[in-house]
Amino acid sequence: MQVQENVPLAPLTTFKIGGPARYFVEAASNSEVAEALQVAHLKKLPFFVLGGGSNLVISDSGWPGLVLKIAIGGIDERTENGKAIFEVGAGVEWDKFVARAVARNCAGIECLSGIPGSVGGTPVQNVGAYGQEVSETVESVLALDTKDGQIRELCNEACGFSYRTSIFNTSQRGRHIILRVTYALEPVGPAHVQYADLKRYFSGRTRVTLAETRDAVRQIRAGKGMLITAGDDDCRSAGSFFKNPILSEKQFDDLTQRAVAKNLQIPSYPALAAQKKVSAAWLVEHSGFNRGHQHGPVGISRKHALAIVNRGSATAEDVVEFKNEIQQRVGDLWGIKLEPEPVFVGF
Ligand SMILES: Cc1cc2nc3c(=O)[nH]c(=O)nc-3n(C[C@H](O)[C@H](O)[C@H](O)COP(=O)(O)OP(=O)(O)OC[C@H]3O[C@@H](n4cnc5c(N)ncnc54)[C@H](O)[C@@H]3O)c2cc1C
């Protein structure tokens, strides 16, 4: 295990923004993770766990302590009680694992095709898209508890999954280093074609394979700049920048009245309505931030209103300034505080 110094972090993120890590270690096994943690303790350094860097805004000054990049590989497969069980190293690229599961005709994560980042990153914010969330298939998470240095297996319930949250990014943020995730998939299961975009894509079709669903999701995502594609600067982002707000009935009534006063109608999507959520993208667009909106070196993606993009030379300060402006305007016009989805590091 090699401890490097002053390693630039921007190239290790999808946003391509941020300063260096004072110390940097890449750990390819459980024991290397434990060793890196030991180094951080001995040198009294704050440490940060880096996966695929796809959900981060790293400050311009970078990280003053040790960044631990998880590079644990391996995908083990077995069948148990009729389920296809996959034990996957936290450093495996998520979409590579999805491709493997789909190739094995195992259902449960096909709609999560094309999401960037690592396997270890998926339980953190309970990644979801097109009607699926990892919480539906995560059986357990193997993690090193930094409080006592023990490695423990956390069952699904212990992870406290909810919309874009788990214990890993709320009550126990920063406590667990995820080493491996076990998923229970459905062998030869049906593809989950429930989301409006997917239904439209397959309109008129009754039987759709997992491989077709994966291709469709990737194609739809590419059209929205939500698939990392070489040469497409609309995907130089951290994905969706704001969570869809979950409203109380009173808040929803207030929002509806504000919309009526402006001769507008709040769009109703069944998938969002079921969870009492409203579209953050609609709020952003109806606050004067249209697709393609420029704000110096940052802006809104030309393909999706919810992605803040780095037009090439943006700093974290530019991003934060633009984020604040959007939050302020949405708050003033619609009475709703948008919550950012990415993790802010080193601020
Ligand atoms: C173009 C684009 C599209 C996206 N689309 C979606 C989408 O459809 N749905 C969705 O939910 N998300 C989406 N995202 C966000 C992002 O891809 C996911 O949140 C992803 O799971 C983050 O994983 P990562 O490995 O990149 O984590 P990182 O960005 O490296 O880290 C994110 C957080 O997880 C923690 N973390 C990472 N790995 C570990 C580990 N092994 N142990 C403990 N903590 C860890 C980090 O400390 C940090 O707090 C998108 C992002 C982009 C850029």
Side-chain angles (χ1 to χ4, degrees), residues 250-264:
K250 189 169 171 294
Q251 285 173 312
F252 189 78
D253 285 348
D254 175 59
L255 178 66
T256 309
Q257 276 171 25
R258 287 178 191 242
V260 168
K262 293 182 189 358
N263 248 342
L264 291 168

Side-chain angles (χ1 to χ4, degrees), residues 156-197:
N156 180 298
E157 292 70 30
C159 297
F161 292 122
S162 189
Y163 168 63
R164 293 296 180 273
T165 60
S166 70
I167 59 161
F168 307 112
N169 68 354
T170 56
S171 57
Q172 297 183 29
R173 175 191 287 266
R175 172 170 167 181
H176 301 278
I177 303 177
I178 298 170
L179 306 168
R180 190 189 71 204
V181 186
T182 302
Y183 302 86
L185 304 185
E186 210 59 60
V188 206
H192 186 82
V193 180
Q194 298 297 326
Y195 211 80
D197 284 359

Side-chain angles (χ1 to χ4, degrees), residues 71-91:
I72 301 169
I75 305 180
D76 291 328
E77 263 178 81
R78 63 177 195 276
T79 308
E80 213 175 88
N81 302 327
K83 294 271 187 189
I85 308 293
F86 289 84
E87 288 186 1
V88 194

Side-chain angles (χ1 to χ4, degrees), residues 14 48-49 51-56 116-118 125 127-128 176 178 221 237 239:
T14 52
F48 174 75
V49 180
S54 63
N55 209 24
L56 304 178
S118 65
Q125 73 151 359
V127 299
H176 301 278
I178 298 170
R221 294 187 72 94
S237 76

Side-chain angles (χ1 to χ4, degrees), residues 256-325:
T256 309
Q257 276 171 25
R258 287 178 191 242
V260 168
K262 293 182 189 358
N263 248 342
L264 291 168
Q265 207 181 348
I266 307 294
S268 160
Y269 304 110
L272 293 184
Q275 298 171 68
K276 289 197 165 59
K277 285 188 283 189
V278 289
S279 162
W282 188 90
L283 292 168
V284 169
E285 273 190 305
H286 287 82
S287 302
F289 303 100
N290 292 319
R291 292 170 205 194
H293 180 103
Q294 263 322 111
H295 184 96
V298 286
I300 301 282
S301 158
R302 298 177 198 95
K303 304 187 181 82
H304 199 297
L306 213 45
I308 293 183
V309 292
N310 168 9
R311 290 287 173 220
S313 56
T315 61
E317 203 184 324
D318 296 323
V319 173
V320 170
E321 190 191 294
F322 189 39
K323 165 201 90 89
N324 290 345
E325 193 183 317

